[in-house]
Amino acid sequence: MLTAARAAAVYVFMLIVIRALGKRTVGNFSAFDLLVALMLGEVVDEIIYGDVRFIQGAIAIVAIGGLAYADSWLAYVHPSMQAVLEGKPTIIVRDGRFDRAGMRSERMNDKDVMAHLRTEGIHDIREVHLAVVELDGTVSVLKHEWADPAQKADVNKDEARARDKTIGDEETPSPSQRTDSRSALNAA
């Protein structure tokens, strides 16, 4: 029980530290994924080298796994807890302009943002409707509609009919279907 309690305490402490360091610190992992990987790696190392008994290591592994499962379950069952446990996406460019508050919270400067935009093929920041730092630290870019490339359905009648059959009569998708809606961005 002491081993499980220690594992839980370290889990909570490390989660706080990782969340405080920000999304860019965890790379392409969520904070939970990184935390679980770090802790499990350390426990397995201790077991392999005989620094702890196998049963102690197994208890710690089960405790860490249980906490990770509980975190993800809690975020799923109570969507309001997701922001607390996993964070929220952060807008860093809005309508072709830097969002300084979002950049400050992610500790990103102009060069960092421009580098991310270049990886998305953006030549001019004015093309960007939204650029968002996601929970895993990646940057998603949504262009203004006028900056989107033409699609086959724009010039081919058969493709236009196929598009219309798929999306129906709705010109604009509902907020739950849009990736740039408030609900999708958790009111970021």
Side-chain angles (χ1 to χ4, degrees), residues 98 109-119 122-123 125:
F98 293 116
N109 61 35
D110 294 6
K111 290 180 182 180
D112 294 332
V113 174
M114 295 302 274
H116 284 287
L117 295 179
R118 282 191 301 275
T119 63
I122 303 296
H123 298 280
I125 193 171

Side-chain angles (χ1 to χ4, degrees), residues 45-149:
D45 179 58
E46 298 293 321
I47 294 170
I48 290 172
Y49 289 107
D51 294 336
V52 298
R53 293 186 325 206
F54 182 83
I55 192 69
Q56 281 181 305
I59 290 169
I61 288 170
V62 169
I64 293 166
L67 288 165
Y69 179 82
D71 283 343
S72 62
W73 182 81
L74 187 60
Y76 173 75
V77 173
H78 300 289
S80 60
M81 290 298 295
Q82 185 173 10
V84 173
L85 296 171
E86 297 178 7
K88 296 188 308 187
T90 307
I91 296 172
I92 54 173
V93 175
R94 185 186 309 264
D95 293 323
R97 291 193 169 88
F98 293 116
D99 186 309
R100 297 292 176 186
M103 290 169 59
R104 187 173 29 262
S105 72
E106 294 298 330
R107 292 178 299 286
M108 295 177 78
N109 61 35
D110 294 6
K111 290 180 182 180
D112 294 332
V113 174
M114 295 302 274
H116 284 287
L117 295 179
R118 282 191 301 275
T119 63
E120 296 294 321
I122 303 296
H123 298 280
D124 184 337
I125 193 171
R126 295 174 294 182
E127 297 175 22
V128 178
H129 170 58
L130 288 175
V132 181
V133 179
E134 302 293 350
L135 299 179
D136 65 357
T138 60
V139 176
S140 298
V141 177
L142 301 171
K143 294 180 180 182
H144 284 286
E145 287 186 23
W146 56 262
D148 283 335

